[in-house]
């Protein structure tokens, strides 16, 4: 019969050494915590994706950057704010070194707003501080972001992707007007913030 002293696994551990079973239990607990965090994050992604409240930064819609000004959706006459049949609005913008065209768009508050933006030259960024609007604008692709503005006011729209020497001066505005005042604006006023 072996006594305890001859089995090294049964010998009392020196001070400072944590017993193996305690280590295993602690590891199990951390593994459970990490796995449940992963589960919660996956659930959030699946639920927001299924409810269409998840906005990827862009969608895979392509456009020819060299000819987009000649006709179609991004022809100059088609830029700015358009009212859709359902009452929502779509704002179409072109980003180029070093401006957005148009440089200001007016939209109604408390109304679904969809921005569709593309670039004619290099990668630009489109950011509306304090909103969920933040996307890269990549030449050859149409970026699309949706939001609802709850507060009227002027939102500054800086280019947030370094695009060259004039990057710091590249910015535009979105003017959010109260929902009931928007229909009074003429189509020209919707696409400009200049006093008519
Ligand atoms: Cu355009 Cu930075």
């Amino acid at each position: 019969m072996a006594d305890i002293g001859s089995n090294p696994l049964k010998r009392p551990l020196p001070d400072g050494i944590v017993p193996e079973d305690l280590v295993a239990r602690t590891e199990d607990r951390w593994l459970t915590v990490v796995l449940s965090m992963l589960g919660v994050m996956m659930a959030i992604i699946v639920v927001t994706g299924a409810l269409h409240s998840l906005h990827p930064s862009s969608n895979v819609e392509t456009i020819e950057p060299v000819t987009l000004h000649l006709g179609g959706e991004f022809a100059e006459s088609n830029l700015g704010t358009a009212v859709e049949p359902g009452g929502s609005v779509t704002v179409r913008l072109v980003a180029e070194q070093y401006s957005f065209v148009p440089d200001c768009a007016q939209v109604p508050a408390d109304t679904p707003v969809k921005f569709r933006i593309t670039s004619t030259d290099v990668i630009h960024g489109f950011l509306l501080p304090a909103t969920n609007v933040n996307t890269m604008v990549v030449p050859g692709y149409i970026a699309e972001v949706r939001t609802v503005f709850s507060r009227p006011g002027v939102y500054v729209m800086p280019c947030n992707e370094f695009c060259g020497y004039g990057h710091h001066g590249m910015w535009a505005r979105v003017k959010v007007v109260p929902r009931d005042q928007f229909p009074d604006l003429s189509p020209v006023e919707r696409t400009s913030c200049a006093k008519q």
Side-chain angles (χ1 to χ4, degrees):
M1 213 169 75
D3 68 296
I4 290 173
S6 68
N7 183 345
L9 291 175
K10 300 234 165 108
R11 235 178 277 147
L13 291 164
D15 278 352
I17 305 287
V18 183
E20 198 183 331
D21 57 335
L22 189 59
V23 171
R25 247 180 292 141
T26 312
E27 283 183 346
D28 278 353
R29 223 172 290 149
W30 276 109
L31 194 63
T32 314
V33 170
V34 170
L35 287 180
S36 34
M37 278 165 65
L38 272 178
V40 168
M41 286 187 263
M42 281 303 291
I44 291 173
I45 292 171
V46 169
V47 170
T48 51
L51 297 177
H52 298 293
S53 47
L54 186 73
H55 304 299
S57 57
S58 187
N59 52 343
V60 185
E61 250 184 281
T62 55
I63 189 165
E64 181 51 61
V66 179
T67 52
L68 61 87
H69 62 289
L70 296 177
E73 180 176 1
F74 290 94
E76 195 173 353
S77 58
N78 205 38
L79 298 179
T81 306
V83 180
E84 301 295 345
S88 67
V89 302
T90 302
V91 182
R92 291 184 178 83
L93 298 161
V94 170
E96 54 190 22
Q97 289 170 316
Y98 297 101
S99 60
F100 290 97
V101 183
D103 71 347
C104 184
Q106 304 212 45
V107 297
D110 303 313
T111 305
V113 177
K114 183 163 79 183
F115 290 95
R116 285 172 66 76
I117 319 146
T118 191
S119 165
T120 58
D121 39 41
V122 298
I123 297 177
H124 299 278
F126 178 74
L127 169 77
L128 286 173
T131 70
N132 64 333
V133 176
N134 184 357
T135 183
M136 280 167 83
V137 183
V138 182
Y141 292 88
I142 300 171
E144 186 178 296
V145 270
R146 293 158 209 224
T147 194
V148 174
F149 296 96
S150 52
R151 264 178 306 164
V154 175
Y155 292 71
V156 179
M157 195 171 83
C159 175
N160 69 332
E161 196 71 49
F162 182 77
C163 53
Y165 292 125
H167 161 72
H168 64 278
M170 180 171 172
W171 61 283
R173 286 168 298 161
V174 170
K175 191 174 172 189
V176 180
V177 299
R179 195 188 160 106
D180 53 336
Q181 288 174 23
F182 185 76
D184 299 339
L185 299 174
S186 70
V188 175
E189 284 174 306
R190 285 173 193 164
T191 296
S192 153
C193 296
K195 287 263 176 289
Q196 302 297 312

